[in-house]
Amino acid sequence: MRKSDSEQLKRILSEELAQSDDVEDREMKSGELTARLLYIKTLCDPQKVQRFVIVPFWDLQNREQYENFLLSFPGSQRGDRVDAITEKLLQGFLAVFLGDELILFEATLNNNSNTKEANVETAVQGPQDAYTEKIETNLNLVRARYQTPTLRVEMFVIGTISKTKIALLYDQDLVNPKQLEDLRKRLQNIRIEVLQAAGQLEKLIEHRTIRLFPTMMITERPDRTVHNLANGKLVLLTDKALYALIVPTIFSDFFSAMDDMYMQNMVGRFLQTLRYIGLVLTLIMPSLYIIITSFNPEFVRVQLTFSIASSRAAVPYPSYLEVIFMLLMMEFLTEASIRLPRAIGPTATTVGGLILGQAATQAGLVSDIMIIIISVVAISNFVIPVNAMSFAIRVCKYPLVLLSTLFGFFGLIVGLMGLVFYLSSHRTFEVPYVKMFRKERKP
Amino acid sequence: MRENRYFFYLVILNMLTNVVMFVPHVLLENRFGSGMMSAVVAVPVSMALLIVFTKQIQKVEGFTLSKMLQATFPTWIRVPFLVLLSAVWMTAGAMSVVVYTEMTRRFLSPETSSLMILTILLLLVIGVSYLESDLVMYGVEVLFIFVVPVIVFLLGKALFSKSMNWLEVSDIATHLWSLPDLKSVGAATFLFSGFVNMAIFGRHFPSRLKPLHYWMLGVMGLSVILTSFLIPIGFLGSFSVERYAFPWMSTADSMRMEFFFIERVVGPFLLLYLILSTLCTIVTWHVGCQLIDSLFSTPRKMRRVIILAVFSLSAVGMQKFLLNEHLMYRFTSNWLVIRLAAEFLLIASVVYGVRRWKKSS
């Protein structure tokens, strides 16, 4: 390789890659001998780099010897073409410039033994890796799945006490520069002492005071992250926090599981439709019960009205009390089973389920149909795949219950319209939160 | 179609709310005279207006009515003209909620006071209409996608229902050959007048309509106007149809769903029209308040809210003033004619303004 070539190569490589904060560009000099190392820290094993590249450089002191030493490892090779070298670097190779020569040394870090299986967002058929609590490992997981030189990593430190490391990832070619600038500014403006979770970071980035619906997705799946990066979104990784934040996220993103993408497209569509049906059911079922028993019993066919009325015959108070009582019991049960230690959890659900399901109806405190409705509400709420959204929807049904208690069907419909427009009035990073028929880039 | 769909939403929204705006009433009143002909004549008339308007605004990149008026008309014409236009728009939205309130009190929740119903609807409308145009539109789109298929299903159900008496319909259809009158044409052209909302929405959702789209709109409009005119006749009889206060509600109430857990069609029909008429009010008031807001140099959220509050007060006043559906009917049918005139005026000003604007720039 000629000298000018090698200079050009160095420049191109450092221009292409060095804008990311996890790229290491280091020069070593000992006597006559100089070497320059260029590699992506998160993809390379620091042990290997130290033992086989840096230490021998000081021991051998002779260029030819050192070169032969490096080339003697399996996987090592001489590089000359820029694109081939970039590709190798993105696979976890180390570029060692020795004068005009360039040697690629394999130092790939494999994190397979460190990662755990995803257990919050599970997938039936798909990658099972989840993020860990270490940001370096997480960066490695993303880098390994997104091998382009346009992927940029910027590091921030947030928290005056916790000094939490935050990595901002994006694809240089696909990202919307305005959003990027906006997010950078918001990150720089954060003033906090202790930052410990991705959700906390989300709250700090958002400006609104009243927040119900999530506008950023918290995910533990590297494959979801990579998919979103390929769609031009921004990703924030937080050190010691297990989860990644995807910015900006809109309403419909919360209704897609990664499985949808891995299945046949019709199956994926079907599953998404199911989730929206679940959304509608969990929102309106309690209100419908109140309306049909107390406001407009003539609305449904006579047989149904009779069967509801007969199952409610023993219940001594108005329907809205019944609904609120049962909804609250269901929320208590859900909360209790989430926060309890694993060993006690099943006991709580069994006791609660038995008492609510059987004893309450036999005692004439609630009707049988109410029990069915409550279980429909609970189950269809869990159909929503992303937790943050599922929790927001849980909150949403109470205003609807209130409105239908006061105004019947009219209140319910007005409440639903209000909900739709409340959602559509959001913008996250200049992206409208609700927009139908939006095209997504195929990765 | 991807970008033109917003234009279609606006037009179809108006087409479907005609039932609330007493359009079938006006036509039914003249069913043995000019009704049929007026319904048919309204299609070419309003399609001509629609085509001229859309062609003109397509000529200018990022067209807004206020910008055009500012560039081509002196202030003493521009300000009263915009105020007049927004008053017409305001009345459209106000009538749609006031009439719907009356319907709801009669058919859905007779115990709730109409002022309460109106207040809740108005609060929702104020809370939505002041938003930016694109955000309003995205919400409208979601509800629209839910509502319209069901409405189309119900209309189809009515068409193929056994209770539909086609003999009565064909009787009315023979009255085609009579001169149309202004009132009926004014009513029937309301179906298409959704396109004027593009004066505001056009900036965020520019449409590029092709001849096929115009044909689609024309056919759709003709079929909607004929269904909303003729189906009540088929169900209620050509003579007795005029005895109903809300012929469409009674028509819906005479339909039955055999295989669903809701039996009477009137229930879902009312709820769907609750959504449609509220959407109509949201859209028209959004346009109305944006027009007034555009008189000032910088747009302000707070100002739009105040404008909408004034609109709401006048809607409440209208409800106090128009006590029953007869008064509402008389008021609305006259307003429909005024609206047609205002539409002509608007389009004339757009044609003139766009030409001068292009010449000057």
Side-chain angles (χ1 to χ4, degrees), chain A residues 296 298-301 304 407 409-410 413-414 417-418 420-421 424-427 432 434-437 439, chain B residues 2 5 108 117 120 128 131 134-135 138-139 141-143 257-258 260-262 264 267 274-275 278:
Chain A
N296 295 82
E298 83 280 2
F299 218 82
V300 291
R301 55 175 54 234
L304 185 54
F407 303 107
F409 256 125
F410 175 74
I413 297 289
V414 168
M417 278 198 280
V420 168
F421 280 108
S424 84
S425 70
H426 286 359
R427 254 188 238 272
V434 176
K435 189 180 176 189
M436 291 181 103
F437 311 116
K439 240 190 212 150
Chain B
R2 272 189 79 79
R5 68 175 191 272
L108 191 65
I117 295 174
I120 292 167
V128 176
L131 297 168
D134 53 339
L135 297 183
Y138 295 137
E141 181 176 24
V142 173
L143 291 168
M257 281 192 273
E258 287 90 349
F260 198 52
F261 53 83
I262 296 172
R264 296 167 63 197
L274 168 59
I275 297 178
T278 318

Side-chain angles (χ1 to χ4, degrees), chain A residues 304-338:
Chain A
L304 185 54
T305 316
F306 279 147
S307 59
I308 294 175
S310 67
S311 101
R312 243 185 74 76
V315 182
Y317 36 74
S319 57
Y320 78 93
L321 283 178
E322 194 185 347
V323 167
I324 290 173
F325 170 65
M326 284 307 284
L327 280 178
L328 280 181
M329 283 318 284
M330 184 197 76
E331 305 289 10
F332 290 155
L333 208 59
T334 325
E335 271 307 292
S337 53
I338 292 174

Side-chain angles (χ1 to χ4, degrees), chain B residues 56-334:
Chain B
Q56 290 301 321
I57 64 170
Q58 278 175 27
K59 278 187 193 165
V60 188
E61 201 66 40
F63 174 89
T64 54
L65 187 62
S66 52
K67 231 193 272 171
M68 184 213 77
L69 290 175
Q70 210 160 21
T72 50
F73 286 90
T75 315
W76 62 272
I77 298 184
R78 182 170 63 95
V79 173
F81 184 57
L82 276 180
V83 172
L84 175 90
L85 279 182
S86 73
V88 174
W89 257 295
M90 187 280 286
T91 322
M95 279 326 288
S96 143
V97 270
V98 168
V99 177
Y100 186 81
T101 306
E102 182 67 19
M103 279 186 191
T104 236
R105 203 179 57 76
R106 193 148 298 220
F107 292 94
L108 191 65
S109 43
E111 286 113 22
T112 324
S113 82
S114 22
L115 187 62
M116 183 71 108
I117 295 174
L118 187 66
T119 314
I120 292 167
L121 280 177
L122 290 177
L123 282 179
L124 175 70
V125 172
I126 293 177
V128 176
S129 288
Y130 81 92
L131 297 168
E132 287 91 345
S133 302
D134 53 339
L135 297 183
V136 171
M137 187 56 121
Y138 295 137
V140 168
E141 181 176 24
V142 173
L143 291 168
F144 196 85
I145 297 289
F146 271 99
V147 168
V148 168
V150 190
I151 294 259
V152 170
F153 166 74
L154 290 181
L155 288 181
K157 196 172 163 49
L159 273 181
F160 297 106
S161 161
K162 273 188 216 136
S163 328
M164 175 92 182
N165 190 344
W166 287 97
L167 205 64
E168 306 272 337
V169 174
S170 57
D171 173 25
I172 295 300
T174 54
H175 295 279
L176 178 63
W177 298 112
S178 46
L179 280 177
D181 72 316
L182 184 62
K183 220 170 176 179
S184 311
V185 174
T189 47
F190 173 78
L191 267 83
F192 294 86
S193 71
F195 71 87
V196 291
N197 293 326
M198 285 308 269
I200 290 296
F201 285 101
R203 182 175 36 168
H204 289 275
F205 304 102
S207 55
R208 292 268 171 274
L209 295 172
K210 296 194 181 79
L212 175 69
H213 295 139
Y214 291 123
W215 279 108
M216 271 161 72
L217 284 171
V219 171
M220 231 181 321
L222 184 66
S223 44
V224 171
I225 196 163
L226 288 182
T227 42
S228 82
F229 175 38
L230 295 176
I231 287 179
I233 292 174
F235 268 88
L236 307 174
S238 56
F239 277 97
S240 44
V241 69
E242 67 180 4
R243 291 189 203 137
Y244 294 90
F246 294 106
W248 255 103
M249 289 299 139
S250 309
T251 306
D253 209 4
S254 38
M255 283 193 271
R256 181 171 164 252
M257 281 192 273
E258 287 90 349
F259 306 109
F260 198 52
F261 53 83
I262 296 172
E263 201 168 17
R264 296 167 63 197
V265 171
V266 70
F269 195 80
L270 266 168
L271 298 182
L272 294 173
Y273 267 94
L274 168 59
I275 297 178
L276 280 181
S277 53
T278 318
L279 287 188
C280 185
T281 311
I282 286 173
V283 167
T284 48
W285 281 19
H286 174 76
V287 175
C289 78
Q290 289 278 2
L291 282 182
I292 295 193
D293 197 33
S294 69
L295 288 174
F296 301 89
S297 49
T298 48
R300 281 238 180 81
K301 269 187 185 168
M302 207 50 223
R303 189 189 297 131
R304 292 203 290 270
V305 173
I306 292 168
I307 296 166
L308 286 167
V310 174
F311 282 10
S312 306
L313 282 182
S314 51
V316 172
M318 227 178 256
Q319 193 195 35
K320 286 271 157 273
F321 180 64
L322 306 168
L323 282 172
N324 53 38
E325 54 266 31
H326 293 291
L327 290 173
M328 283 180 197
Y329 166 61
R330 237 186 293 156
F331 180 83
T332 312
S333 55
N334 287 326

Side-chain angles (χ1 to χ4, degrees), chain A residues 246-421:
Chain A
I246 299 171
V247 183
T249 316
I250 66 166
F251 187 70
S252 55
D253 291 341
F254 292 99
F255 286 82
S256 64
M258 286 314 285
D259 260 344
D260 301 352
M261 223 165 292
Y262 303 139
M263 296 205 181
Q264 305 298 334
N265 58 354
M266 288 319 282
V267 180
R269 287 272 162 76
F270 169 72
L271 292 177
Q272 289 206 326
T273 320
L274 267 189
R275 291 186 200 119
Y276 285 106
I277 295 175
L279 166 71
V280 173
L281 282 183
T282 190
L283 281 175
I284 68 170
M285 280 310 263
S287 311
L288 271 187
Y289 180 78
I290 295 176
I291 292 164
I292 288 171
T293 48
S294 306
F295 275 89
N296 295 82
E298 83 280 2
F299 218 82
V300 291
R301 55 175 54 234
V302 186
Q303 294 88 326
L304 185 54
T305 316
F306 279 147
S307 59
I308 294 175
S310 67
S311 101
R312 243 185 74 76
V315 182
Y317 36 74
S319 57
Y320 78 93
L321 283 178
E322 194 185 347
V323 167
I324 290 173
F325 170 65
M326 284 307 284
L327 280 178
L328 280 181
M329 283 318 284
M330 184 197 76
E331 305 289 10
F332 290 155
L333 208 59
T334 325
E335 271 307 292
S337 53
I338 292 174
R339 311 281 170 227
L340 274 178
R342 265 232 178 112
I344 320 175
T347 328
T349 41
T350 320
V351 172
L354 268 180
I355 288 174
L356 291 183
Q358 278 292 315
T361 42
Q362 277 173 8
L365 292 178
V366 285
S367 67
D368 292 326
I369 290 183
M370 189 65 234
I371 301 285
I372 298 171
I373 284 178
I374 284 300
S375 37
V376 168
V377 168
I379 293 166
S380 49
N381 204 143
F382 296 141
V383 170
I384 300 165
V386 180
N387 251 301
M389 183 49 89
S390 162
F391 277 51
I393 296 297
R394 243 168 90 183
V395 179
C396 274
K397 38 181 196 280
Y398 292 96
L400 290 178
V401 165
L402 178 72
L403 274 171
S404 21
T405 309
L406 294 175
F407 303 107
F409 256 125
F410 175 74
L412 174 63
I413 297 289
V414 168
L416 285 176
M417 278 198 280
L419 181 63
V420 168
F421 280 108

Side-chain angles (χ1 to χ4, degrees), chain A residues 431-443:
Chain A
V431 181
Y433 193 50
V434 176
K435 189 180 176 189
M436 291 181 103
F437 311 116
R438 145 196 85 95
K439 240 190 212 150
E440 193 165 278
R441 260 172 45 90
K442 288 274 167 289

